[in-house]
Amino acid sequence: MTTLSEYQAELSHVPADDAVLATLAADSRVGAQRLLDQYHRRVDKLREQRLELRYRSRFEHELWPTYPLIAGIDEVGRGPLAGPVVTAAVILPHDFALPVNDSKQLTHNERARLFTGIMSQAISVSLGVADAAMIDRENIYHATELVMGQAVDHLTVTPDYLLVDAMTVPTAIPQRKLIKGDANSISIAAASIVAKVVRDELMAMYDTVYPGYDFAHNMGYGTKKHLLGLAQLGVTPIHRRSFSPVKAQL
């Protein structure tokens, strides 16, 4: 009789051999039926991911015949009281198949895993960063636009077209602004993941430079611990002085 370990090895690949599945279905052991159930759940999840990927890549598939190099653009960090806005521009290959999504919908581990895949598979990836001083000088919206343009300019290849999450990039390159773009475009979703991972790492670093504000956990947003640190320790160089809670402490 086939052991459960042997079954498990056979089911490690999707799709599994039909004969193995038939034998497993006829096996009355509880462990065998559990393995079969786990396999079917994994198949269902992969099928769902493929459908979601097809849906999220519909804009890319529409544009690729005319514009082969499409850059997705997104930002992270417009709302916090401290830290930079980080923008990312990502050009994906046409066969890209990782299950990217809005970075806010992913766990820390999922983002980290997808970040590695994006960086290894992307045709080009670039960043733009607006620090607190630039945000105070330009205002948050305009500063974000400017560093989105910076991210596009720093790509190693010039894109033919841009897909942008809800903003307009100051460039002559043709573009389309998509509402909730990180949930509707794999290129924008990839950019949102890159920007989120990079900014989170920056805020974790800032937490060691400016302890007492809980930056490693709140990422600069106005949480209770952050506001308490602001009241007790004052304003740091990475705080946005034009934002009301910070301005009140000056």
Side-chain angles (χ1 to χ4, degrees):
M1 178 179 288
T2 305
T3 67
L4 296 181
S5 295
E6 289 171 335
Y7 276 138
Q8 195 165 27
E10 292 283 356
L11 298 179
S12 62
H13 304 290
V14 177
D17 185 86
D18 288 340
V20 172
L21 293 175
T23 303
L24 189 57
D27 194 320
S28 61
R29 287 176 294 176
V30 172
Q33 294 308 304
R34 184 179 298 117
L35 285 174
L36 185 61
D37 183 56
Q38 290 172 349
Y39 170 80
H40 285 309
R41 287 203 302 270
R42 192 163 77 253
V43 168
D44 289 343
K45 183 176 181 180
L46 289 172
R47 184 182 298 114
E48 182 180 346
Q49 286 179 345
R50 283 195 292 269
L51 289 172
E52 289 178 351
L53 182 68
R54 188 180 304 164
Y55 175 77
R56 291 196 184 98
S57 61
R58 65 195 186 281
F59 292 106
E60 283 82 358
H61 282 291
E62 174 191 327
L63 292 163
W64 272 330
T66 307
Y67 304 102
L69 295 174
I70 296 174
I73 321 293
D74 203 3
E75 56 76 25
V76 173
R78 282 171 60 187
L81 307 179
V85 167
V86 175
T87 65
V90 178
I91 302 176
L92 296 176
H94 295 195
D95 61 352
F96 185 81
L98 294 179
V100 293
N101 193 2
D102 173 5
S103 63
K104 297 184 291 298
Q105 304 300 318
L106 302 170
T107 66
H108 174 82
N109 288 339
E110 287 172 335
R111 285 194 298 270
R113 186 171 64 254
L114 289 168
F115 176 86
T116 301
I118 292 164
M119 296 302 292
S120 65
Q121 296 183 33
I123 294 169
S124 185
V125 178
S126 180
L127 297 172
V129 180
D131 62 13
M134 182 179 183
I135 292 167
D136 290 336
R137 183 177 68 250
E138 300 290 345
N139 79 53
I140 185 63
Y141 191 87
H142 189 226
T144 302
E145 288 181 323
L146 291 175
V147 291
M148 280 184 165
Q150 183 185 103
V152 172
D153 290 342
H154 290 169
L155 287 164
T156 55
V157 294
T158 302
D160 303 311
Y161 199 93
L162 309 180
L163 291 174
V164 192
D165 186 33
M167 297 190 75
T168 301
V169 180
T171 178
I173 298 172
Q175 61 189 277
R176 181 181 297 182
K177 177 168 63 175
L178 297 179
I179 304 303
K180 296 185 178 178
D182 43 12
N184 284 288
S185 159
I186 57 170
S187 302
I188 297 176
S192 78
I193 291 166
V194 171
K196 172 67 174 169
V197 170
V198 169
R199 188 178 189 279
D200 283 358
E201 289 294 324
L202 282 173
M203 294 311 296
M205 180 272 293
Y206 280 130
D207 188 56
T208 65
V209 178
Y210 306 109
Y213 301 88
D214 199 35
F215 287 147
H217 298 101
N218 60 47
M219 306 306 169
Y221 285 88
T223 62
K224 184 177 180 180
K225 285 186 177 180
H226 184 179
L227 294 176
L228 182 61
L230 195 57
Q232 293 178 341
L233 302 171
V235 177
T236 71
I238 68 166
H239 275 99
R240 302 172 184 180
R241 294 167 180 254
S242 56
F243 281 38
S244 297
V246 180
K247 190 185 297 184
Q249 296 296 325
L250 295 174

